[in-house]
Amino acid sequence: TSLSTSTLITMSSHHWLLAWLGLELNTLSILPMIIKPHHPRATEAATKYFLIQAAAAALILFSSTLNAWQTGHWSITNISTPAATVTITIAIMLKLGIAPTHAWYPEVLQGATMNTALILSTWQKLAPLTLLYLMKNSLPNSLILTIGALSILVGGWAGLNQTQTRKIMAMSSIAHMGWLIIALNMSLDIATMTLAVYILLTTTMFTSFNITTTKTLADLGVTWPQSPVLFVIMLITLLSLGGLPPLTGFAPKWLILTSLCHTKLFMLSVMIVIASLPSLFFYIRMTYLATLTAPPNTTNAQHKWRHKMSHPWALGPTMVMAGLLLPLTPLMAT
């Protein structure tokens, strides 16, 4: 049922009511997946997720009705009422978990399982982002750039004191969404490429954490004996998420900064580069904790107590792409 959202939004002939219906279907479809573990924390996460998404959907319905009342049409691509535009933009930011409406997002991810957290961080972003793509010509530029810069700043700073890997990935997601909506304001091609790279890196990290059952930073130190190759590539993917130059994650940031400089937004460029340094710090701290604080010893027991790890067939290609796609940047950007 969750697949219906993006389809409904694209098939809706850009009609706000059908887009709202798609968003509601999407929210109701993911709730059983969040609540499935029958744990109080999962129930709390599902409740928070439902309340936030329902409030955002109600805001979208209200502002689209306001727009239809004043203009006489329900078109998504043509919103001419400033109040409706700003309200819808804020509602979509709430759905995406972008700062300053981000507080629910780490809590929901922490209460969900790794696989559900992966879906919340990737697939669930597509429907609200589709609406932003369709609204591109009506978006309030200064508001979008401000929210984007704030998300990068908050995502970096709030992640510094986290020890849970899901919360760290949530903060990482907030920061990446900031880069994405700044890209959306500049060029749809760069925004699409940024989204593709974000989904690739996030999927790789969550799948790796799930296989090695890494829930906290302390768990990172004991994952080495399970699979040294997986562990090393996981650390490279972490650095790629931080946007270090030889890796895939550098490509979207490079293109976004180039685009900002071409439009003479130098102050914003400097600000988001400085704001992304804390993010890079906590990724590097994770690699440091994993490699230098616990020795890579194998267990002395005759029988290993760990279960045999499953390796999904898609993990290999995604890990390779997470590190080595930078030379293909000209192809990805066109």
Side-chain angles (χ1 to χ4, degrees):
T1 319
S2 185
L3 289 166
S4 57
T5 317
S6 298
T7 316
L8 259 175
I9 288 178
T10 47
M11 288 175 59
S12 62
S13 181
H14 302 165
H15 195 289
W16 270 117
L17 278 180
L18 282 174
W20 170 80
L21 178 63
L23 290 170
E24 285 295 309
L25 272 174
N26 182 257
T27 301
L28 294 173
S29 305
I30 196 75
L31 288 176
M33 297 176 72
I34 301 174
I35 213 166
K36 186 175 176 286
H38 300 296
H39 190 276
R41 199 172 281 166
T43 311
E44 183 187 339
T47 309
K48 284 176 179 173
Y49 187 78
F50 171 72
L51 290 174
I52 293 292
Q53 299 295 317
L59 267 179
I60 288 173
L61 189 60
F62 163 72
S63 42
S64 55
T65 308
L66 179 69
N67 183 63
W69 176 44
Q70 296 199 348
T71 60
H73 62 77
W74 289 89
S75 171
I76 296 175
T77 49
N78 184 19
I79 304 178
S80 47
T81 316
T85 309
V86 171
T87 315
I88 286 178
T89 305
I90 291 169
I92 292 174
M93 298 308 158
L94 183 59
K95 273 192 165 293
L96 288 170
I98 292 178
T101 55
H102 66 284
W104 63 273
Y105 187 58
E107 300 300 322
V108 169
L109 249 60
Q110 184 59 31
T113 61
M114 278 289 179
N115 286 332
T116 311
L118 168 61
I119 295 168
L120 288 172
S121 300
T122 53
W123 180 258
Q124 293 299 101
K125 306 280 189 192
L126 295 183
L129 284 170
T130 306
L131 292 178
L132 279 183
Y133 269 61
L134 292 172
M135 287 172 61
K136 184 186 183 297
N137 297 325
S138 315
L139 291 174
N141 290 344
S142 53
L143 179 65
I144 290 288
L145 292 174
T146 307
I147 288 175
L150 186 63
S151 294
I152 296 168
L153 187 66
V154 167
W157 280 105
L160 289 176
N161 64 343
Q162 301 297 341
T163 56
Q164 300 285 333
T165 50
R166 273 167 292 187
K167 283 196 175 181
I168 287 174
M169 290 304 293
M171 293 306 170
S172 156
S173 177
I174 292 167
H176 278 87
M177 283 293 123
W179 283 96
L180 179 57
I181 62 165
I182 288 176
L184 192 67
N185 206 39
M186 314 303 298
S187 157
L188 287 181
D189 292 336
I190 296 176
T192 309
M193 182 225 175
T194 307
L195 178 61
V197 170
Y198 162 75
I199 289 175
L200 172 71
L201 297 178
T202 308
T203 305
T204 308
M205 281 315 304
F206 270 115
T207 311
S208 306
F209 286 150
N210 196 28
I211 289 171
T212 56
T213 59
T214 306
K215 294 186 174 66
T216 64
L217 290 184
D219 294 341
L220 271 174
V222 293
T223 54
W224 177 274
Q226 296 185 57
S227 175
V229 176
L230 171 66
F231 182 70
V232 168
I233 301 178
M234 188 166 88
L235 299 186
I236 292 171
T237 310
L238 266 176
L239 297 178
S240 187
L241 263 174
L244 281 182
L247 305 168
T248 307
F250 176 62
K253 296 186 177 181
W254 180 20
L255 291 171
I256 291 166
L257 289 171
T258 308
S259 185
L260 284 172
C261 290
H262 283 163
T263 47
K264 302 289 189 290
L265 292 167
F266 299 115
M267 276 303 292
L268 180 64
S269 305
V270 172
M271 197 168 82
I272 63 176
V273 167
I274 293 171
S276 64
L277 286 176
S279 290
L280 183 58
F281 172 78
F282 67 69
Y283 294 127
I284 291 176
R285 186 184 61 179
M286 284 175 82
T287 58
Y288 170 81
L289 284 171
T291 52
L292 297 178
T293 56
N297 294 336
T298 51
T299 175
N300 293 323
Q302 188 176 0
H303 300 289
K304 286 197 172 184
W305 57 269
R306 287 192 178 88
H307 297 293
K308 192 176 187 303
M309 288 192 304
S310 62
H311 292 282
W313 63 269
L315 186 60
T318 53
M319 283 191 147
V320 171
M321 287 192 289
L324 300 176
L325 283 187
L326 187 64
L328 298 181
T329 305
L331 290 176
M332 292 191 288
T334 52

